Amino acid sequence: MPSRPVPPAARRTRTPRPFAVPPAVPAVGLAAALLAGCSSAGPAAPGGGTGGTPVRGGTLKYAVAVGTSCLDPHVSPGDVTAVIQRNVFDSLVYLDDKGAFHPWLAKSWQISPDARTYTFQLREGVTFHDGTAFDAAAVKANLDHVKDPRTKSLYAASLLGPYTGAEVVDPLTVRVSFAEPYVPFLQAAATPYLGIASPKSLAEKADQLCAGGANSVGTGPFRETEYVKNDHVEFKRNDAYAWAPEGAANQGAPYLDGLTIRFLPEDSVRSGALTSRQVDAAALPVSAVRTVRAAGVEVTRTQNPGVVYSLFLNSTRGALRDERVRRAVQRAVDVDALVKSIYFGEYERAWSPLSPTTPASYEAGLKDALPHDAAAAGRLLDEAGWSARDGDGYRVKDGKRLTLHWPYIASLVRDQRDTLAAGIQADLKKAGVELVRDSIDNGTYFKVYASGDYDLWDNSWVRADPAILAGFYLSANTPAAGGQNVSLSSDPELDGWLTAGAATTDPAARKANYTKAERWAVEHGTVLPLYVTANLIGRSEGVRGLVFDANAWPQFAGVWRTR
């Protein structure tokens, strides 16, 4: 999920380079081939408090920092939407925190040797909250709905990549086809963004799905009963639920009678609500972790996969057209010192644009590739012709000051990122670079984003697949086209690696392609990775059975209370 709301990745239109076609892959086999060596012991990792005999009854109150303008996961790109609606919408498959796939609404699947066709055999006896039967027609209706331009999907449509359609083979068999080999689809199918909604609700409530509440109709463990924007969401147990992911500790209906998710944007209010037991669990800022631990609250830290929180440099604008200037910016900032002092060891300094927990990729060899080196930064700027200084100590060239603009929306800055930005600003000033933070409103923000009228742009995005790099670096995925390529990188070789990574079914070749893309991004000065985002979840002593999925998002179907 992005650190702030941004448009989705554009659909890929390039043809990937040829790749070796492996032997036919049997049911549930390609997942194992792609993720060889990953554990399949279970679908989620415990967050603490998992011992004991589950107890039925009671409600749980969980607090998050931000709300959302839309609760339709087919439309909204927000991670908060995914966390909320995971309770309502099940997926075809489940991806656990070790990168292993498990049957869910699909009991098995086959993938064609060229990875262009996925055939799912579906579970029998599954019903939606409105009584509609789950079947192959429902899967087709959902995928078609996501891809329909009228849905105005801001993220889910990009997860379908080169989708050409779904065929109902029989009532419990559906075949999904793509114009190109598309290996990331199985991971995409495990996300809440491609969660399966009642086809009846899609047909009859298309204009009301963002409003959530009773309009959200899935097969999930909870029924959504009420949504009050920017205040709370209410859920009740789905007593009929009997189709949890294979390996889940709770294979039946939730232990809880109900669940309430509250939106408490003020960090101090949210952490105070947890320590005073007004809520039972909460997403915490790093600034509150020590306080709540001292109050006897257990805090679980789980790193997110995907693109880490980073500062991207616009390679097409002003002084940043010169790679030497971009590399100087990378070296001028003492990221180690800033992350350690601001985040108290709760966040890990990032070296690659990809998180270390991203399955099937991550280039560990990039560690220490961008050490703080003020002298090197100065030499690079001198070489680029920015050797003179004005009266304020900023570098000048041809009578112009070396000034970089970084826009942001003040209301969306959280997790002490304003303090981090001030530290970056101070380090760049030492190097003679003026960094201007431009506070703008939502409407202006998106116009600036689409036009490329910025020098620096911060972002992060949660996805348990290295294919997320294509959203940020495929040349076609510019902000104007609906992508996240905010560095506006454009390189045929880079495009080749990214398209090949999405096409090859060879795990080693896939990792090699994405590794090259990671290295290219860092070595060409297009990104300054800052820290690996993580979910810090505090829970009171009486909360048991809280686990996390591959995205490090909390799962509530197996939670129970002892008090």
Side-chain angles (χ1 to χ4, degrees):
M1 163 57 199
S3 59
R4 51 184 88 240
V6 295
R11 299 170 191 173
R12 297 189 301 106
T13 57
R14 296 174 178 267
T15 302
R17 296 179 178 181
F19 62 96
V21 177
V25 182
V28 203
L30 183 57
L34 294 177
L35 300 168
C38 292
S39 168
S40 58
T50 55
T53 302
V55 177
R56 290 197 175 276
T59 61
L60 183 85
K61 292 180 180 178
Y62 176 65
V64 296
V66 294
T68 175
S69 60
C70 177
L71 273 184
D72 182 359
H74 291 174
V75 173
S76 171
D79 55 358
V80 67
T81 300
V83 171
I84 291 169
Q85 298 296 54
R86 176 83 295 170
N87 299 292
V88 175
F89 300 110
D90 293 334
S91 294
L92 290 172
V93 296
Y94 189 92
L95 179 61
D96 71 18
D97 70 303
K98 302 298 191 298
F101 290 96
H102 303 266
W104 197 351
L105 292 180
K107 63 183 182 181
S108 63
W109 54 90
Q110 295 85 34
I111 305 172
S112 64
D114 63 0
R116 295 187 186 208
T117 303
Y118 293 70
T119 304
F120 296 91
Q121 287 74 42
L122 309 178
R123 296 179 69 152
E124 300 179 65
V126 177
T127 57
F128 291 97
H129 300 156
D130 60 8
T132 304
F134 165 75
D135 57 14
V139 175
K140 174 176 170 56
N142 273 263
L143 299 181
D144 289 347
H145 173 260
V146 168
K147 207 66 169 177
D148 189 333
R150 293 174 296 181
T151 301
K152 298 180 180 179
S153 172
L154 293 177
Y155 181 50
S158 70
L159 292 177
L160 282 177
Y163 172 77
T164 57
E167 175 191 355
V168 176
V169 178
D170 61 47
L172 292 176
T173 306
V174 62
R175 182 176 297 123
V176 183
S177 299
F178 299 91
E180 305 169 6
Y182 192 53
V183 173
F185 175 62
L186 205 60
Q187 182 276 331
T191 67
Y193 303 108
L194 295 185
I196 306 300
S198 164
K200 183 178 179 181
S201 70
L202 297 180
E204 298 179 0
K205 300 182 178 182
D207 60 344
Q208 304 171 56
L209 299 177
C210 274
N215 301 304
S216 297
V217 184
T219 61
F222 290 94
R223 301 171 184 267
E224 193 168 313
T225 58
E226 182 181 64
Y227 171 48
V228 177
K229 189 176 179 180
N230 295 325
D231 190 83
H232 71 274
V233 189
E234 294 278 357
F235 304 88
K236 297 297 181 185
R237 178 174 58 225
N238 177 11
D239 291 320
Y241 196 70
W243 40 85
E246 182 182 88
N250 180 17
Q251 288 291 307
Y255 301 121
L256 296 168
D257 293 331
L259 169 68
T260 299
I261 295 180
R262 296 181 59 189
F263 304 114
L264 300 176
E266 293 294 330
D267 290 344
S268 59
V269 172
R270 195 167 62 261
S271 57
L274 179 60
T275 55
S276 64
R277 306 302 190 261
Q278 296 175 58
V279 298
D280 306 296
L284 296 172
V286 290
S287 57
V289 171
R290 290 182 180 178
T291 302
V292 299
R293 279 182 176 147
V297 173
E298 180 176 330
V299 179
T300 300
R301 175 169 61 91
T302 48
Q303 290 185 336
N304 300 112
V307 171
V308 302
Y309 182 63
S310 304
L311 197 56
F312 293 89
L313 289 73
N314 185 344
S315 61
T316 68
R317 178 175 152 108
L320 294 181
R321 291 191 183 97
D322 191 323
E323 184 176 310
R324 292 170 296 187
V325 176
R326 301 197 302 270
R327 289 167 51 211
V329 170
Q330 290 177 318
R331 292 301 184 90
V333 180
D334 192 347
V335 177
D336 263 334
L338 290 173
V339 171
K340 287 177 182 176
S341 65
I342 295 171
Y343 297 108
F344 312 111
E346 297 295 341
Y347 288 163
E348 175 185 332
R349 187 253 163 98
W351 297 98
S352 162
L354 280 185
S355 164
T357 59
T358 307
S361 189
Y362 183 65
E363 176 47 80
L366 283 172
K367 189 176 187 302
D368 299 324
L370 291 176
H372 171 56
D373 191 333
R379 287 193 298 272
L380 286 165
L381 291 172
D382 288 343
E383 291 172 12
W386 294 93
S387 54
R389 303 230 184 188
D390 63 17
D392 294 319
Y394 292 111
R395 292 176 180 263
V396 293
K397 179 180 179 181
D398 299 328
K400 294 183 179 180
R401 178 181 286 185
L402 180 47
T403 301
L404 304 178
H405 288 266
W406 178 2
Y408 70 104
I409 302 175
S411 62
L412 293 181
V413 174
R414 60 185 190 274
D415 211 11
Q416 297 179 250
R417 289 178 181 176
D418 51 351
T419 305
L420 179 61
I424 293 171
Q425 193 173 42
D427 281 349
L428 289 178
K429 184 176 182 179
K430 293 175 186 175
V433 180
E434 181 182 39
L435 175 59
V436 177
R437 293 272 282 158
D438 300 309
S439 179
I440 55 182
D441 59 57
N442 285 28
T444 304
Y445 184 87
F446 285 112
K447 289 179 182 177
V448 170
Y449 178 85
S451 66
D453 189 20
Y454 54 83
D455 297 302
L456 304 176
W457 199 274
D458 60 314
N459 205 351
S460 63
W461 201 287
V462 176
R463 185 177 181 185
D465 194 288
I468 189 63
L469 278 177
F472 282 82
Y473 279 101
L474 199 66
S475 61
N477 287 348
T478 63
Q484 297 102 21
N485 183 1
V486 287
S487 66
L488 296 175
S489 298
S490 180
D491 184 276
E493 191 170 34
L494 177 61
D495 284 351
W497 296 328
L498 293 170
T499 52
T504 182
T505 57
D506 179 343
R510 192 164 196 253
K511 186 179 190 307
N513 279 299
Y514 287 122
T515 291
K516 291 174 184 175
E518 288 175 78
R519 284 191 167 277
W520 187 98
V522 171
E523 292 169 358
H524 286 272
T526 67
V527 61
L528 177 59
L530 296 171
Y531 65 79
V532 182
T533 61
N535 279 348
L536 297 167
I537 308 296
R539 62 169 186 84
S540 60
E541 186 178 351
V543 176
R544 296 286 188 270
L546 182 63
V547 296
F548 301 88
D549 68 2
N551 293 303
W553 292 334
Q555 309 291 289
F556 297 103
V559 171
W560 76 91
R561 303 194 54 168
T562 61
R563 61 182 71 178

